[in-house]
Amino acid sequence: EKIKNGQSMFLEARVSFVQGGSGNIAVVGTRNVDELIRRERMQEKALQEAVSNLQTEQKLMNMRVRTMSEGIHGGFKRGQRDKLFTINYVSKQLAEMLGYSSPMEMIRAGGGNMAGLVDIDEVRPQLPEADRMVDKGEMFTMTYKARCKDGSWKTVEEKGRLITNLDGSQEFWSFI
């Protein structure tokens, strides 16, 4: 960096060695790279702004999902696409709708999966159609009985979609 008239001026220096009759000679060449540095700084600033915008959008998206999951009649759950439909998350509203004092209590009552909380005989015949919808990337709908804390059963309707996360893992996101 060189100062010229009170302003920074960026120079790039290149050194080449040339073999001459009396030994090696160093040849130094310089060029002004102000424009290159200016463009790099502009790109860096634009990248920082893009990252900041993405972080803000992520916060907004989280707030939107939270608002929907807390504001709907019934509740919200996330679970894995495995044999027992392992539960990853249950909203407080869903747990309370079925008489549980907390989401964790509901998850424990089902052994950590939805198969332990539903009338599997009602669910089983609906799975092929739900799988067909999921494979098409569409919403699925199933109606079944869910077990309440007091041992009674409540008929519920679940609507959801299979979401593929950035890491390739998949989760069902469902409203009940």
Side-chain angles (χ1 to χ4, degrees):
E1 183 176 356
K2 178 181 174 185
I3 305 295
K4 179 180 177 183
N5 297 331
Q7 298 228 344
S8 292
M9 182 171 135
F10 292 93
L11 300 174
E12 177 183 72
R14 293 185 183 202
V15 178
S16 300
F17 294 95
V18 179
Q19 193 168 6
S22 60
N24 290 332
I25 301 171
V27 177
V28 178
T30 60
R31 71 177 178 139
N32 185 325
V33 291
D34 281 344
E35 184 60 24
L36 179 65
I37 297 294
R38 187 185 67 74
R39 279 193 308 245
E40 285 178 353
R41 287 183 176 167
M42 284 177 51
Q43 289 171 345
E44 183 178 333
K45 182 179 178 185
L47 184 59
Q48 288 172 346
E49 286 177 16
V51 167
S52 176
N53 289 342
L54 284 173
Q55 290 170 335
T56 300
E57 184 60 34
Q58 180 67 40
K59 287 177 186 173
L60 289 171
M61 184 59 69
N62 289 341
M63 182 58 73
R64 289 178 187 125
V65 169
R66 207 169 120 215
T67 299
M68 286 189 300
S69 70
E70 292 174 1
I72 63 164
H73 179 72
F76 173 77
K77 73 172 184 68
R78 290 190 339 252
Q80 295 177 20
R81 187 180 194 182
D82 57 17
K83 189 175 182 177
L84 298 175
F85 302 101
T86 301
I87 299 170
N88 294 344
Y89 171 85
V90 172
S91 70
K92 182 179 177 187
Q93 294 80 1
L94 178 56
E96 289 174 352
M97 181 181 85
L98 297 175
Y100 297 96
S101 59
S102 71
M104 190 52 65
E105 181 184 27
M106 179 181 161
I107 292 169
R108 279 193 214 109
N113 58 69
M114 284 304 289
L117 292 169
V118 301
D119 182 343
I120 199 68
D121 292 329
E122 283 191 0
V123 172
R124 194 173 286 122
Q126 298 177 70
L127 288 175
E129 177 63 16
D131 283 340
R132 190 178 71 71
M133 300 305 285
V134 165
D135 291 341
K136 290 172 46 176
E138 297 179 6
M139 295 279 288
F140 68 88
T141 302
M142 292 194 300
T143 302
Y144 53 83
K145 288 184 185 80
R147 185 166 38 96
C148 298
K149 180 179 179 176
D150 65 8
S152 65
W153 294 90
K154 183 175 278 192
T155 299
V156 297
E157 181 178 73
E158 177 178 354
K159 291 184 178 222
R161 182 183 309 269
L162 184 65
I163 305 293
T164 301
N165 298 312
L166 290 175
D167 65 3
S169 64
Q170 294 183 317
E171 287 185 310
F172 284 111
W173 286 52
S174 302
F175 291 98
I176 296 178

